[in-house]
Structure formats: structure tokens, C-alpha cells
Amino acid sequence: MNKAEIKERDQQYIEGTYARYDLCIESGKGAICKGYDGREYIDFTSGIGVNCMGFCDAGWVAAVTKQLGRIQHTSNLFYTEPCGELAELLVKGTGMKKVFFSNSGAEANEAAIKTARKYSNEKYGNERNEIITLINSFHGRTMATITATGQAKYHAHFNPFMQGFSYAVANDIQDLNSKLTEKTCAIMLEIVQGEGGVLPLDEQYIKAVEKICKVKDILLIVDEIQTGIGRTGKLFAYEHFDISPDLVSFAKGIGGGLPIGGILIGDKCVGVLKAGNHGTTYGGNPVVCAGGVYIMQQMTPDFLAEVAKKGTYIKRKIEEMPNVLSVKGLGMMLGIEIEGQEAQAAVALALEKGLLLLTAKEKIRLLPPLTIVYDEIDAGLTILEDVLTGEIA
Ligand SMILES: *Cc1c(COP(=O)(O)O)cnc(C)c1O
């Protein structure tokens, strides 16, 4: 099929929930992918933070295909090896105690919400069930997680929404305090708000929230779905701040491109979810987990230091570009505030010039594959500078 045929069929048969860019991707290797137009594109998106090792990393492909030829699925009624191996790597890499695997980020947050409510219901009664999230957050697309998402645009069309959520202004501890009630059972936050515009929380704020949670036995849920698995230069972004959350949700990067999510469960919540309380058919799938094991094995201190270094390099270069008002984020998760044109228009122009970018609200967002090499970074940044300057390449 050619590009036009692929597009046309997609538009005819796929429900239009996504505004797709004008590109049909055929294949990829590392940070470069090839379109059906025969052109090559530099990838600064990782499929929204998913392909952390780039496209079709050889080791990851080998790990996945090896498991695929052994056994693809068994149901959670039986033991398989990769699932426990991945959980062990996650637990030993963080100091958390247990793992529950789901298939997506939204489901990971569902599991965190259910765990938090059960913990508090059992200890303090059913009335203690409220969760405070932050304004401008993003936590997923299921009914519970759109309710948890602190952005008005998600709170339309699908009434009724869930009870028991309230929203606090990020980085404002007074506002958070004013939202606390005797019913509060958890506070849920992203260390860097991703979809909300790549907005990092302040260290002081993060530490103050942790303290409130500890003192009041309120659970701290950190949504690391976008920030986790090396993205910010640490395995998880909360490690930058020396805090210990009770529940950490992860997804995106850990699958390297295959669907997976889950939660890390800390001391307090171990054993809250018991047999029959929660589950999912595909969670902990051996093929996906085998890929996850490979990804986790790459997260060495040297690798993570390199991510931080590349992130700093990219940030510095962009700060020197014309029409850039600010560059915010952590590691290789960056948001660029620009003037002179809309971010959406800049991203479309970059695509024409051979660079894949994302937006987040009114910003350009970068989530390059963690394995991208400096030549590719420089080539991508040259295109970005052209776009921001308004020069024709
Ligand atoms: C992407 C994302 C989600 C939702 O993950 P899905 O896999 O799309 O369900 C939740 N929280 C954050 C912070 C995300 O970036």
C-alpha cells in the first residue's frame, strides 16, 4: 500500500479519536524511522515516551522474540518466569516491596486508586476515600482516571463522574492544606506534569507533601508513567527528591513499545490487595515482561547518567535558539515555550523537515529515545532551530 491508501483506509475504518499527523511510518531503527514517502525522520518523541531504547533495539527484539517462541500467555492462574523477574528488578531497583502488573498507564493508576481506597477503608472506615490530585495533571482515560485528571476539558461528555476526587494547585502547599479533610486517603501527583505542559514540581513542595502524607497516614501516589524508567536521568523521577512514596505507577517506557503498566507497592500497602480483589487477563504477560526485563537491565547508573547528560546538552542548546522563552523539564523530558508561532504549527513544520516532535498544551515537548546518539540529537536540533527561526531549510 502507498501512503494515500493507508491514510484513506484508516480514516474510513478507525474512529476519529486521534488527530494524526500527515505521516505513515513503515519501519524504524534507533532514533530514525522511515515513512511510506521514502523519507527518513529523526524521532524526538519515542512514541510519547514509550520506545525508550528507540525503534526495534536489537537486544529488546531478541528478548521479546525469544519469549514469544517459548510461551506467549498463560493467564495469571499460573506462574511464568519473566513476570517475577521483572518485578524483582523493579523492587530491587527502588526499595519498594511488591508489584502489580496492568496493561496501560490508566490501569496502573486505577490499581493505585483502588489500593489507596482499600487501605484507608479498612483502617479508618469507608468514609475515608477521597483523593486529592493536582490541577493540570493527567492520569489517564478511564472513568476513574479522567476524574483524577485535574483538567476541566476531560470533565465533560461522560457524566456522571466518580465521587471522591478534589484538585489542588500544584506547588501551592497552602492550597493543598485547604483541600485536606478527614476523608482524604491519598494525594496523587506527577513529579513533572507531562501532558499538562512539562511542568516540574518544586522540591520544597514535593517534600512538604510527603511530610503531610506521613503525618496523617495519607498515601502518597506518584504517577511515574511518563517520568519513570530512566526518562529524567533516574530510574524514577521521585528519586531526585529523596522521598519514599507509598504507591508508584509506571507504564510507557518499561515496555519499550509493548503495552504494560503497573504499580510499585511500598511497605504500608503490601497485602492490601488480596486474591480476588483486583486483576486483569493480560497483566504480567510473559512476552511483554521479557521485553521489560531487557529494558530494566539497561538502566545502569552509567546509562542513567548519560540520559541526564544528554538532557542537559539538549536543554542548553535549545535555550540559545531564537524565539525560545523557556525550556523546562527534567532529563530527557523537556517542554519548550516559544513565541512567534503556535507550538502545533512548529511541530507540523518540523515534521515537513524530517523531525518528529510532540506538543504539551501550548509547548513543544521532547521525549527523545534515551539511546539517541549525539549526531542524531544535533541533526534534530538543527531542524528545530530552523523551525524556530522561521528559515526554510
Ligand atoms: C500516558 C500517561 C497516562 C496514561 O497512560 P495510558 O497508557 O495511555 O493509559 C497516565 N499518566 C501519565 C502521567 C501519563 O503520561
Side-chain angles (χ1 to χ4, degrees):
M1 270 196 158
N2 65 30
K3 177 180 167 182
E5 290 163 343
I6 291 167
K7 255 179 82 172
E8 197 181 312
R9 182 173 63 184
D10 193 283
Q11 285 166 357
Q12 185 171 354
Y13 294 110
I14 300 289
E15 182 73 316
T17 61
Y18 305 105
R20 299 199 203 279
Y21 288 106
D22 186 27
L23 172 65
C24 298
I25 302 176
E26 184 190 36
S27 59
K29 191 78 196 157
I32 309 288
C33 65
K34 207 178 134 201
Y36 278 78
D37 53 11
R39 289 180 62 195
E40 287 194 339
Y41 296 83
I42 300 167
D43 179 32
F44 275 11
T45 74
S46 309
I48 318 189
V50 169
N51 304 328
C52 57
M53 298 292 135
F55 295 112
C56 300
D57 175 271
W60 176 81
V61 170
V64 169
T65 49
K66 187 173 166 205
Q67 181 58 40
L68 196 53
R70 275 187 177 163
I71 195 134
Q72 82 276 32
H73 172 80
T74 62
S75 89
N76 277 309
L77 302 175
F78 304 100
Y79 294 96
T80 57
E81 195 178 337
C83 166
E85 191 180 1
L86 179 55
E88 181 181 16
L89 286 166
L90 281 162
V91 164
K92 291 192 170 157
T94 56
M96 299 292 279
K97 292 293 178 312
K98 297 265 187 176
V99 177
F100 171 84
F101 285 120
S102 65
N103 314 289
S104 69
E107 285 172 83
N109 285 334
E110 288 274 347
I113 291 165
K114 285 176 78 172
T115 306
R117 284 192 167 167
K118 188 161 185 283
Y119 173 86
S120 237
N121 281 196
E122 282 172 348
K123 211 163 160 184
Y124 302 100
N126 292 350
E127 290 295 298
R128 200 177 192 264
N129 57 37
E130 286 183 1
I131 296 172
I132 301 176
T133 68
L134 299 184
I135 290 169
N136 218 29
S137 58
F138 181 80
H139 297 299
R141 299 285 198 157
T142 61
M143 282 308 301
T145 57
I146 49 173
T147 311
T149 293
Q151 298 188 51
K153 71 169 177 179
Y154 294 98
H155 299 172
H157 310 305
F158 307 113
N159 289 293
F161 288 86
M162 284 190 71
Q163 296 184 330
F165 286 87
S166 61
Y167 312 94
V169 178
N171 289 327
D172 183 340
I173 206 73
Q174 260 178 340
D175 189 64
L176 181 74
N177 272 317
S178 77
K179 302 285 157 59
L180 286 172
T181 73
E182 69 281 3
K183 289 179 165 185
T184 307
C185 77
I187 297 171
M188 181 162 159
L189 49 81
E190 300 154 87
I191 299 291
V192 183
Q193 294 187 331
E195 304 303 313
V198 198
L199 301 166
L201 293 181
D202 301 337
E203 173 158 21
Q204 237 188 340
Y205 180 77
I206 294 169
K207 294 209 151 132
V209 174
E210 189 205 29
K211 192 161 172 213
I212 291 170
C213 287
K214 290 259 141 68
V215 170
K216 297 182 184 284
D217 195 18
I218 289 168
L219 298 177
L220 176 57
I221 306 173
V222 179
D223 179 342
E224 292 262 9
I225 290 164
Q226 195 160 144
T227 50
I229 322 301
R231 175 56 54 189
T232 69
K234 301 267 187 194
L235 182 57
F236 288 102
Y238 75 78
E239 294 169 35
H240 289 282
F241 304 101
D242 191 31
I243 57 164
S244 31
D246 299 297
L247 296 162
V248 176
S249 55
F250 59 85
K252 294 199 167 98
I254 194 164
L258 290 173
I260 180 173
I263 51 171
L264 279 153
I265 301 168
D267 272 318
K268 267 190 188 177
C269 294
V270 169
V272 168
L273 293 180
K274 297 193 168 53
N277 287 155
H278 192 50
T280 166
T281 299
Y282 293 114
N285 172 276
V287 175
V288 180
C289 286
V293 166
Y294 174 80
I295 301 283
M296 280 296 292
Q297 286 167 343
Q298 312 312 303
M299 298 291 142
T300 60
D302 284 353
F303 182 88
L304 295 171
E306 191 56 31
V307 171
K309 223 175 100 188
K310 284 182 211 170
T312 305
Y313 176 84
I314 295 169
K315 185 167 185 275
R316 293 223 175 107
K317 288 253 167 174
I318 294 172
E319 278 166 346
E320 288 164 9
M321 290 182 189
N323 299 317
V324 170
L325 299 177
S326 72
V327 187
K328 291 210 173 106
L330 212 51
M332 289 174 80
M333 175 175 182
L334 296 169
I336 314 165
E337 191 191 350
I338 59 168
E339 62 182 357
Q341 61 188 318
E342 300 287 324
Q344 197 61 249
V347 170
L349 189 56
L351 177 64
E352 279 176 33
K353 293 171 184 274
L355 174 67
L356 308 188
L357 297 170
L358 297 163
T359 58
K361 289 268 176 82
E362 71 295 339
K363 290 186 185 176
I364 296 173
R365 175 173 40 155
L366 310 188
L367 296 169
L370 306 181
T371 49
I372 193 168
V373 298
Y374 281 94
D375 280 352
E376 294 162 338
I377 292 174
D378 288 340
L381 290 177
T382 301
I383 295 174
L384 180 60
E385 181 154 21
D386 279 351
V387 166
L388 297 179
T389 314
E391 277 171 16
I392 307 301

